[in-house]
Amino acid sequence: MSKNIILCGVGGQGTILASRLIATAAMDKNIPIKTAETIGMAQRGGSVFSHLRLGEGTNSPLIGKGEVDLIIGFEPGETVRQLPFLKKGGAVVVSSRPVMPVSAMIGQSKYDAEAMIEYLKANVEHLTIVDADKAAEELGSAKVLNVVLLGAALRSGELGLDEQDLENAIREKVPEKFLELNKKALAFSRE
Amino acid sequence: MHKEFLMGNEAIALGALAAGVNLVAGYPGTPSTEVLETIAKRNPGNVYVEWSINEKAGMEVAAGAAYAGARALVTMKQVGLNVASDPLMSLEYIGVKGGMVVLVADDPGPISSQTEQDTRTFAMFSKVPVFDPSSVSEAYEMIQEAFDFSEKYGTPVFFRATTRVDHGYEALEVKDPGEYYVNKPEGFVKDPSRWVIFPRLSVKNHALIEKRNAQLKDVFSEYPRNKILWEEETAKCRKGIATQGVNFMYTLDSLHDENARVMRVATPFPFPEKLALDFLAGLDEVLCIEELDPVIERALTYICGKYCLDVRIRGKLTGDIPPSGENSMEIVSKALKEFLTSDKEDAAEETTDLAAAELPQPPALPVRPPVLCAGCPHRASFYAVKTAMRGKKTIYCGDIGCYTLGNAAPLDMCDTCLCMGAGIGIAQGVGHIEPDTKCFAFVGDSTFFASGITGTVNAFYNQADMTLVVLDNSTTAMTGHQPHPGTGRTVMGQVVEKVSIERVLRAIGLTVVETVDPLDYALSVETVKRVAEEPGVKAIIFRSPCIAITKPKGRSHVDPEKCIGCGKCIRELGCPAIILDSDGKKAKIDTSVCTGCTLCEQLCPVKAISGGRKNDTAGMSPEGGRHE
């Protein structure tokens, strides 16, 4: 099995932890894994992405355009930004909730998040839209959006891992008091 | 041995521990920071680790340890090497006894830096040999070899990695602590003819360095990480590719069945000349795929000239590879395709195919530069100065740290930014030319200790007229919250005397030194107005902890009944926690990011915002002393 995955969003949304969870689950199954992370200035509310490569036969930590099996988008606009990396027939899991940049709030730029979702609908066949506001409301926390998205990614069939693998990874990496919340988050998109 | 999933910088750190490193010093800087942090975290107990106050101090501490026979590592980012270059240039003439590795993280792009300088070029300038790893797992092995090499030849060596190695992750086999090499330092042996640099010694040693580096070209030709791939299969091949670092990986993933000889250069200085001659034999053309400076390209061009070889060397200097910026899979595969396809039109066609994604033009993508966090005390400090100085002729000289982000609208409070500590000097220079301008220099607490003190002494001695604003959030925030002299703790976990910024400033001679909590808006504005009118050099210390190292005590919320939708909070502060409600009329606070700093509450003309509780600064003693 080999899978190329991109996680993308806005600095502070928890993409790095999600990437770590996938990597931990892959490692536990002895699947070779390489990742490249955005660390540094962009973590302060800028555009961030992680490239993950699961399986044999790759050398580069970065993935080329048109080679990605699955994009896990934490934010609509950031997902559209990464779309050129998706291969034909690849899957996209995206959170519906936009993060408005300060530049748009003060009128220096424009950002129409609904247009982003429409664009994704028009151009991605294998698309899962996660209602992040509903998830936050039902789970009582907006902080587990990353795990909600991982659950939806599982169910897209393109992650190459199963629910138990991710649950084990969560147990390894997340403090015990948040375990139940994270398990619920992982299961959220089942309904 | 055991398997771990490691970041490149963690792998480098574990490699250094496996090599028996005795002392590690450094100054934080992206993408180098995690090396020293990992050493501190995984310290088997016998390694001395410090965050030095800057790279020059770290380099000197490491040199002293290596003089005494210790294995020493000093870590920094590429611009940090500029700060450390003074000791390093001389150190190369003196040499070392214990192995000493200078780890420098280069940042193609640049992603988080001021410059795209190439430490391989610095290696040539300083005559220091350099190792250039290609992957996380290789970096783990290579740093161990770098220590052996440094010790064997008595010279410091560079270990320079770039972002994609530093911040890449791989699962790899690493040694258990019981398997680590143990280096027992002999101690410093007095010998003025060896350790004291005088012109006579420099003349002698310079000749020896040149001789040694000439010899190292041969030694490195035998170093297995410098290699030619598929040498036999490509014996009749006319095209070659020379590459380095992570570009070697991009090249491997981009080549399929093409008939091309590949040389990977792991030690660009001294350049493995004999190996390069084997590589060049029979070739017509070579494409050099590298990032930052055209180091391999120049070396091969020189070798072709020296040996009268009829081989065309291509790369950045011939326009085949972009002259600046970070390379990507696309850049490398496109350049390779064009180079390897003999028929240019074919290549052009295929290249267009590759680039012509079938996606229609997307709607305008969000413009998302990094911003100060919600609740960041720097926002309050900048806003107070901006309000206090409204209508006056001013210059706001910024510096390196999170607070550089004060440049963005709507704050617009960073007129200059150059390098660590430079804002203090620039404010003085502008003031000498434009005496009617109120000159401000903003500097963070860690940057003040790193390189702000000399500039302040200069200002005081030379009768400058300026206001120094120290933004003290009691940590080194941008690089991930490292301790510094003002925090009262070290990376080894010791609780130590704090160095007081106020006392340092008073000792220099400043008489106006005021400390204020920036989240107290009215008092901050009043303080700035008053202090800025004083003559000479005066200082304001805005002290409030970084929101990432404190827990919010309450979150603000907007009362929609009271909010009149004037938009002042959004327009003036640019806080990422303040958004518009679903009707797009009134302000709303995103409680998942609000820290309850209360700045917007103090600003709201109709007092519609409440519920926050700002951080208590009482525990942040201005006079130094022991950390409670």
Side-chain angles (χ1 to χ4, degrees):
Chain A
M1 183 212 69
S2 96
K3 290 280 176 202
N4 288 330
I5 302 166
I6 285 183
L7 280 79
C8 59
V10 177
Q13 279 194 303
T15 52
I16 293 179
L17 177 63
S19 159
R20 273 316 283 268
L21 290 174
I22 296 174
T24 303
M27 231 186 95
D28 290 347
K29 289 186 95 173
N30 279 321
I31 301 170
I33 168 102
K34 283 193 182 70
T35 79
E37 307 285 353
T38 312
I39 295 165
M41 209 181 221
Q43 283 177 285
R44 308 273 178 276
S47 301
V48 295
F49 62 80
S50 302
H51 284 202
L52 286 84
R53 312 198 82 175
L54 279 70
E56 302 280 354
T58 58
N59 295 285
S60 157
L62 291 183
I63 311 166
K65 288 196 173 138
E67 291 182 8
V68 168
D69 299 284
L70 169 65
I71 295 178
I72 305 178
F74 285 54
E75 206 279 341
E78 295 310 315
T79 309
V80 172
R81 204 190 297 281
Q82 299 296 330
L83 208 54
F85 283 92
L86 193 71
K87 72 177 188 196
K88 255 189 201 161
V92 172
V93 170
V94 63
S95 160
S96 57
R97 186 171 188 266
V99 176
M100 292 304 281
V102 169
S103 64
M105 290 302 302
I106 60 172
Q108 281 206 329
S109 69
K110 283 201 163 48
Y111 177 32
D112 181 353
E114 273 169 37
M116 297 295 161
I117 293 286
E118 290 311 312
Y119 180 83
L120 289 170
K121 281 182 183 163
N123 294 290
V124 181
E125 259 177 59
H126 196 165
L127 177 71
T128 311
I129 299 172
V130 173
D131 186 338
D133 289 322
K134 187 173 157 227
E137 200 180 303
E138 287 185 16
L139 295 165
S141 168
K143 304 255 173 195
V144 285
L145 172 66
N146 49 8
V147 177
V148 173
L149 290 169
L150 284 184
L154 269 177
R155 286 172 265 284
S156 78
E158 287 292 338
L159 193 58
L161 298 165
D162 56 43
E163 186 149 357
Q164 196 55 50
D165 301 334
L166 276 184
E167 224 181 275
N168 293 344
I170 288 170
R171 200 159 296 162
E172 275 178 59
K173 295 287 164 198
V174 173
E176 207 184 328
K177 59 176 173 176
F178 299 121
L179 194 61
E180 274 314 305
L181 175 63
N182 278 280
K183 276 165 78 174
K184 272 187 204 152
L186 195 63
F188 177 79
S189 66
R190 232 189 251 156
E191 294 136 41
Chain B
M1 299 288 275
H2 64 281
K3 201 170 197 179
E4 284 192 55
F5 183 65
L6 295 169
M7 181 196 276
N9 282 340
E10 294 171 337
I12 292 167
L14 293 187
L17 288 174
V21 72
N22 303 102
L23 177 142
V24 185
Y27 188 76
T30 310
S32 73
T33 313
E34 300 84 3
V35 175
L36 193 141
E37 287 185 324
T38 304
I39 301 246
K41 226 177 280 168
R42 305 288 290 264
N43 190 348
N46 53 1
V47 183
Y48 172 82
V49 195
E50 72 167 42
W51 279 124
S52 307
I53 60 134
N54 64 24
E55 295 85 354
K56 174 172 149 67
M59 183 73 75
E60 291 154 355
V61 169
Y67 283 7
R71 284 195 158 190
L73 173 69
V74 56
T75 73
M76 62 199 71
K77 68 183 295 178
Q78 89 284 35
V79 284
L81 179 59
N82 302 338
V83 178
S85 64
D86 197 7
L88 182 65
M89 293 301 292
S90 299
L91 181 64
E92 177 54 13
Y93 277 64
I94 291 290
V96 291
K97 190 160 81 178
M100 174 166 163
V101 176
V102 179
L103 177 131
V104 184
D106 283 359
D107 179 13
I111 302 169
S112 283
S113 304
Q114 305 98 290
T115 70
E116 273 200 290
Q117 63 193 68
D118 191 326
T119 298
R120 298 176 303 160
T121 302
F122 203 103
M124 283 185 266
F125 173 54
S126 59
K127 308 181 192 299
V128 174
V130 57
F131 291 77
D132 188 12
S134 282
S135 70
V136 173
S137 45
E138 186 186 53
Y140 175 74
E141 302 293 336
M142 208 177 193
I143 190 145
Q144 300 178 53
E145 294 154 9
F147 272 106
D148 292 342
F149 187 89
S150 163
E151 216 158 76
K152 182 168 178 189
Y153 292 95
T155 174
V157 300
F158 278 122
F159 189 86
R160 88 97 195 213
T162 58
T163 308
R164 297 299 164 205
V165 172
D166 292 309
H167 287 166
Y169 283 79
E170 276 179 43
L172 62 144
E173 290 281 334
V174 294
K175 287 179 179 155
D176 300 323
E179 297 170 278
Y180 291 174
Y181 171 75
V182 178
N183 179 54
K184 294 214 168 87
E186 180 198 14
F188 181 73
V189 179
K190 289 193 185 196
D191 180 359
S193 72
R194 179 168 181 191
W195 302 117
V196 181
I197 198 162
F198 268 113
R200 204 164 41 120
L201 182 68
S202 302
V203 168
K204 183 181 129 227
N205 284 359
H206 186 187
L208 291 174
I209 290 166
E210 297 301 343
K211 198 174 151 194
R212 180 205 68 208
N213 280 351
Q215 181 204 344
L216 285 183
K217 291 181 181 181
D218 294 347
V219 173
F220 278 148
S221 287
E222 303 295 322
Y223 179 51
R225 296 189 193 280
N226 286 316
K227 60 188 171 193
I228 302 170
L229 268 62
W230 314 301
E231 200 170 0
E232 279 175 25
E233 300 93 308
T234 59
K236 291 192 179 140
C237 194
R238 314 302 295 263
K239 292 196 179 192
I241 294 144
T243 184
Q244 55 78 227
V246 73
N247 290 279
F248 178 45
M249 298 304 175
Y250 301 156
T251 302
L252 288 180
D253 281 358
S254 301
L255 285 175
H256 302 292
D257 305 316
E258 297 90 341
N259 196 17
R261 195 182 298 164
V262 175
M263 177 169 73
R264 179 273 168 105
V265 180
T267 57
F269 179 81
F271 199 80
E273 194 167 301
K274 277 189 181 157
L275 187 80
L277 284 171
D278 290 345
F279 167 69
L280 293 166
L283 296 181
D284 291 336
E285 277 190 306
V286 171
L287 178 67
C288 300
I289 303 179
E290 55 192 322
E291 275 167 330
L292 304 175
D293 291 344
V295 170
I296 297 174
E297 189 180 355
R298 286 201 176 107
L300 290 179
T301 306
Y302 160 78
I303 289 168
C304 288
K306 182 177 172 184
Y307 295 93
C308 294
L309 302 179
D310 190 12
V311 186
R312 185 161 176 242
I313 307 299
R314 292 164 59 175
K316 288 171 175 270
L317 300 170
T318 53
D320 293 285
I321 296 286
S324 61
E326 189 189 16
N327 286 343
S328 63
M329 284 294 296
E330 286 70 48
I331 289 171
V332 170
S333 56
K334 180 169 173 274
L336 272 173
K337 200 161 267 180
E338 285 176 356
F339 176 69
L340 294 173
T341 313
S342 42
D343 188 335
K344 286 281 160 210
E345 276 176 22
D346 273 11
E349 223 169 80
E350 280 192 47
T351 309
T352 334
D353 278 352
L354 186 83
E358 286 155 34
L359 288 171
Q361 185 73 21
L365 289 166
V367 180
R368 210 184 288 281
V371 290
L372 293 172
C373 300
C376 175
H378 297 333
R379 177 178 292 103
S381 305
F382 283 128
Y383 190 67
V385 176
K386 186 175 182 168
T387 309
M389 290 293 110
R390 200 155 274 156
K392 298 225 162 75
K393 191 180 174 197
T394 53
I395 181 166
Y396 301 122
C397 300
D399 225 293
I400 306 290
C402 283
Y403 51 99
T404 316
L405 301 176
N407 77 317
L411 291 172
D412 191 19
M413 283 296 287
C414 182
D415 295 322
T416 71
C417 180
L418 189 66
C419 69
M420 291 283 287
I424 301 172
I426 292 169
Q428 295 165 47
V430 170
H432 291 311
I433 300 302
E434 283 180 33
D436 60 333
T437 300
K438 292 276 177 203
C439 300
F440 286 78
F442 292 87
V443 69
D445 41 349
S446 188
T447 306
F448 176 76
F449 289 116
S451 51
I453 297 173
T454 45
T456 310
V457 176
N458 190 67
F460 184 77
Y461 166 58
N462 287 305
Q463 306 294 298
D465 188 342
M466 63 169 285
T467 306
L468 174 70
V469 181
V470 184
L471 302 170
D472 181 1
N473 59 4
S474 300
T475 188
T476 316
M478 179 58 97
T479 47
H481 309 99
Q482 292 74 28
H484 63 64
T487 63
R489 56 199 167 82
T490 71
V491 73
M492 294 185 81
Q494 296 148 303
V495 173
V496 296
E497 291 283 327
K498 284 185 195 177
V499 179
S500 154
I501 297 170
E502 284 86 341
R503 283 191 191 167
V504 169
L505 293 173
R506 289 217 176 86
I508 289 169
L510 274 66
T511 51
V512 179
V513 178
E514 301 229 5
T515 303
V516 59
D517 175 359
L519 298 177
D520 187 337
Y521 174 61
L523 182 64
S524 295
V525 173
E526 188 270 318
T527 306
V528 175
K529 277 186 179 160
R530 186 163 36 80
V531 170
E533 289 310 313
E534 299 278 347
V537 185
K538 51 272 176 187
I540 298 166
I541 296 150
F542 280 119
R543 181 170 285 128
S544 179
C546 173
I547 54 109
I549 54 169
T550 50
K551 280 212 169 114
K553 295 192 184 74
R555 318 229 185 231
S556 301
H557 58 88
V558 181
D559 181 346
E561 300 292 308
K562 290 189 189 162
C563 177
I564 52 169
C566 70
K568 186 179 182 190
C569 50
I570 292 172
R571 208 174 50 239
E572 301 265 303
L573 297 179
C575 174
I578 315 178
I579 51 180
L580 288 172
D581 65 7
S582 45
D583 300 335
K585 297 249 164 54
K586 294 185 175 181
K588 186 185 157 191
I589 287 176
D590 178 350
T591 49
S592 69
V593 286
C594 174
T595 66
C597 79
T598 76
L599 183 62
C600 59
E601 297 181 15
Q602 297 171 63
L603 206 68
C604 177
V606 293
K607 299 281 167 236
I609 316 176
S610 62
R613 216 179 121 203
K614 71 186 179 70
N615 274 308
D616 192 4
T617 51
M620 300 172 73
S621 149
E623 293 304 329
R626 279 210 175 258
H627 193 271
E628 292 348 306

